[in-house]
Amino acid sequence: MNTRYWKLLSFPVALLLGACATSGNSGRESREASSPAAWLARARVVDLAHPLTPDMPIFPGGAPLGVTVLGTVERDGYFIRQLVVGEHIGTHVDAPAHFAPGAATVDRIPPEMLMGPAAVVDVTAQVAQNPDYVVSPADLEAWEREHGPLQPQHLVLIRTGWAARWPDEKRYRNADAAGVMHFPGLSVAASHLLRQRQVRGVGIDTLSTDPGSNTTFEQHRDFLAGGGYHIENLADLSMLPPVGAFLVVSPLPVKDGSGAPARVFAFLPPEG
């Protein structure tokens, strides 16, 4: 195993096994200090979810978030609202059932699949030159040459820089005069490679894992049919290194849901 690959796996191993003890420590204090709970207490946490708001960007045809105040502290003694929310709104998870009949719905994604080391593939330079940029196997293979092979426990995050356009729906959709949207996504060939690597999921900081101009969702159909899931509308990924972050994805467990809004947390090693 090469050095780069060990660095890739060292964080989740430390997180799950508590392998963070200082050399020479022993006894109860050492065990407590090196426990996963103690490690997490010192970790840096990055929230990768956009707040849900009635005016946030949504995919064409979707319904915006509906919010109705049912009670206020001044009037009723407590504050409470009613929310009407679509399954694919804001930062959200696409379950396999979204495009694969009979596949797992969002409540049936195994919990262990909703966490794993993040592999962050940065294509911001390419997207800056071409908003219709399509991530190819070459982009993923370049990452692997630098950091080691993608593994089944990975969650692959595509950093395009598109999150900088949020929450301006016009800029985020980037539609032309004919209504065709122009934002980056993944190719079907890239999806094939990720399926071959058996990664748990793929996320992106745009409205869809398919490019904006695509209206037939080939990448969705391919990847979700393999049992993986998507995370769409991720917030700014710039704080995440290519390797070393551990991701926890927390979609609402909507029974029989095709997807659900989600909080997404990246845990980073403590500074110093």
Side-chain angles (χ1 to χ4, degrees):
M1 181 179 291
N2 63 38
T3 302
R4 290 192 181 109
Y5 188 57
W6 173 246
K7 287 173 65 180
L8 170 67
L9 293 181
S10 62
F11 174 64
V13 168
L15 174 62
L16 297 177
L17 301 183
C20 299
T22 302
S23 177
N25 284 351
S26 61
R28 179 178 176 182
E29 289 184 1
S30 176
R31 290 194 300 271
E32 289 178 351
S34 63
S35 70
W39 203 103
L40 284 171
R42 296 185 296 113
R44 292 176 291 144
V45 185
V46 180
D47 188 348
L48 299 176
H50 293 292
L52 296 176
T53 64
D55 57 353
M56 66 186 170
I58 57 175
F59 202 86
L65 176 71
V67 181
T68 303
V69 176
L70 300 181
T72 66
V73 174
E74 295 78 10
R75 186 188 70 200
D76 307 288
Y78 53 86
F79 176 49
I80 186 171
R81 303 188 301 175
Q82 175 179 281
L83 305 180
V84 179
V85 58
E87 292 180 330
H88 300 269
I89 195 169
T91 305
H92 66 272
V93 164
D94 288 349
H98 186 34
F99 275 87
T105 50
V106 71
D107 56 310
R108 288 167 42 215
I109 298 175
E112 62 271 18
M113 294 285 288
L114 293 170
M115 62 180 71
V120 183
V121 180
D122 190 339
V123 294
T124 53
Q126 296 93 314
V127 172
Q129 299 298 317
N130 176 17
D132 291 307
Y133 187 76
V134 179
V135 175
S136 70
D139 294 307
L140 303 175
E141 290 164 349
W143 187 96
E144 290 185 312
R145 285 194 298 273
E146 182 70 18
H147 305 292
L150 291 167
Q151 297 290 317
Q153 71 268 27
H154 274 121
L155 294 173
V156 177
L157 305 184
I158 308 299
R159 181 189 171 203
T160 72
W162 210 255
R165 297 174 177 240
W166 186 280
D168 187 328
E169 185 170 78
K170 182 176 181 181
R171 294 187 65 237
Y172 198 69
R173 287 184 177 182
N174 198 33
D176 60 26
V180 177
M181 295 184 292
H182 297 275
F183 56 77
L186 285 87
S187 68
V188 176
S191 184
H192 287 332
L193 188 149
L194 293 173
R195 283 186 63 181
Q196 290 170 4
R197 302 295 192 268
Q198 298 181 316
V199 301
R200 292 177 172 176
V202 58
I204 196 166
D205 53 359
T206 68
L207 269 175
S208 174
T209 52
D210 275 288
S213 60
N214 183 288
T215 59
T216 51
F217 306 106
E218 285 97 340
Q219 191 279 333
H220 275 73
R221 297 179 190 282
D222 179 77
F223 190 77
L224 297 180
Y229 62 91
H230 291 155
I231 318 162
E232 295 173 327
N233 292 324
L234 284 166
D236 182 16
L237 297 172
S238 63
M239 291 184 64
L240 273 58
V243 298
F246 191 82
L247 217 63
V248 175
V249 185
S250 184
L252 294 173
V254 180
K255 181 173 172 54
D256 299 330
S258 67
R263 291 292 290 274
V264 181
F265 299 107
F267 293 82
L268 297 170
E271 293 180 335

